[in-house]
Amino acid sequence: MASKPWWKRGHKRIATGFDRALLFEFDALEEHRSFAANSLSGAIKSLEKKINQGVDAVDEEDRDAYREHMNEEYITISEVLPRVQWNSQFLVVYATFEHLLNEICRIVQRRSSFNLSFKDLNGSGVERSKNYLSKVAGVTTPFQTTHWQRAKLLGEVRNIIAHRNGEVDLPPGNNNCLGAKLSKEKHLVLKKYIPDQDDAQIILSEKFIKESISDLRKVLISIFDYELYEDDS
């Protein structure tokens, strides 16, 4: 009996050894989140100290005017910069997730000796990768989990931030729309600038980014660990 190819010997999981180093990219994203959070926190504390020292230095009758003068800078540091930071990092996180799914497709194509590439399928993004892995390679259970459903929701958030500057519709009485789903999220805010407007801006938080990195990493690990191949027994 001919011996099995090397990639089938004792390697039942999709990704082993060097291939699993791809996850280091998600480790780097988490380090960046922590670094950015500490930097923003430090900037806010520094500005608050500056404002307090300035208030003490001016005459009492000028203090309100000084606070008003510094208010714009405080809003920039405490609201605008965090929004830019977390929106930007969220887009990078999801782009990395999509990229790593594509890399997993390449690993499966190589190990399974498929002629068909994921690029040969219709569609794009994570759904194309999912279709390749499930329909071509037979990877099923990772896409039947709550983690995958979470990844799909995060994909919708990504699209709204990338294409609509985070403005999500809030149609009255529609409890199944994205806006209704996001209203139940703990670590983001749907901000309305006027009370009766029919949309709101998604404001992400550092905790939302942290959870997103963790949730998407779990999806990748479940696919990496999927036992698609035979061992020597």
Side-chain angles (χ1 to χ4, degrees):
M1 179 181 297
S3 61
K4 294 181 180 180
W6 69 268
W7 45 261
K8 282 192 175 181
R9 298 175 196 160
H11 297 289
K12 298 171 71 175
R13 297 175 178 177
I14 286 177
T16 60
F18 178 76
D19 288 333
R20 297 183 74 87
L22 291 169
L23 285 173
F24 290 163
E25 291 193 43
F26 260 65
D27 296 337
L29 290 172
E30 171 57 22
E31 288 187 21
H32 180 270
R33 178 209 59 79
S34 179
F35 175 81
N38 290 334
S39 297
L40 287 169
S41 178
I44 292 172
K45 290 179 181 178
S46 178
L47 181 58
E48 288 175 343
K49 181 179 179 180
K50 175 183 175 181
I51 292 173
N52 290 334
Q53 289 175 340
V55 168
D56 292 338
V58 300
D59 295 333
E60 187 171 352
E61 61 270 19
D62 295 327
R63 288 177 179 176
D64 288 342
Y66 176 79
R67 290 191 183 97
E68 184 176 349
H69 170 71
M70 296 299 296
N71 187 57
E72 183 175 346
E73 184 176 354
Y74 185 80
I75 290 175
T76 298
I77 296 295
S78 64
E79 296 183 19
V80 178
L81 290 186
R83 183 171 73 247
V84 171
Q85 168 60 39
W86 303 131
N87 281 1
S88 300
Q89 180 159 13
F90 181 75
L91 293 178
V92 172
V93 167
Y94 206 84
T96 304
F97 175 66
E98 182 176 331
H99 165 69
L100 293 186
L101 282 179
N102 290 342
E103 289 301 311
I104 293 172
C105 289
R106 291 188 176 96
I107 292 169
V108 169
Q109 181 185 7
R110 183 182 74 244
R111 292 192 65 187
S112 301
S113 299
F114 291 146
N115 291 323
L116 189 71
S117 164
F118 72 95
K119 293 183 178 180
D120 296 322
L121 272 60
N122 292 328
S124 61
V126 300
E127 280 298 319
R128 181 174 65 174
S129 298
K130 180 255 187 185
N131 288 337
Y132 183 84
L133 292 170
S134 61
K135 296 179 180 180
V136 177
V139 179
T140 54
T141 53
F143 303 109
Q144 298 168 355
T145 65
T146 57
H147 296 313
W148 177 250
Q149 294 305 314
R150 180 67 177 174
K152 291 174 64 176
L153 177 65
L154 295 179
E156 293 185 73
V157 176
R158 177 263 173 205
N159 290 339
I160 292 292
I161 291 175
H163 302 301
R164 295 188 56 185
N165 194 34
E167 295 179 356
V168 61
D169 292 330
L170 296 171
N174 188 342
N175 295 323
N176 294 319
C177 67
L178 178 60
K181 295 176 183 177
L182 296 182
S183 68
K184 301 174 184 177
E185 291 285 325
K186 293 181 180 179
H187 301 308
L188 64 76
V189 173
L190 298 181
K191 185 175 181 178
K192 289 186 176 183
Y193 294 94
I194 55 176
D196 58 347
Q197 70 183 80
D198 58 1
D199 60 7
Q201 187 167 43
I202 299 172
I203 307 296
L204 304 180
S205 70
E206 176 231 337
K207 290 184 179 179
F208 185 87
I209 303 303
K210 181 179 178 67
E211 288 188 353
S212 297
I213 293 171
S214 176
D215 291 338
L216 295 176
R217 196 176 193 278
K218 288 174 183 176
V219 173
L220 294 171
I221 290 175
S222 70
I223 301 172
F224 278 7
D225 289 345
Y226 189 85
E227 294 186 351
L228 184 62
Y229 302 105
E230 299 175 359
D231 58 19
D232 287 331
S233 58

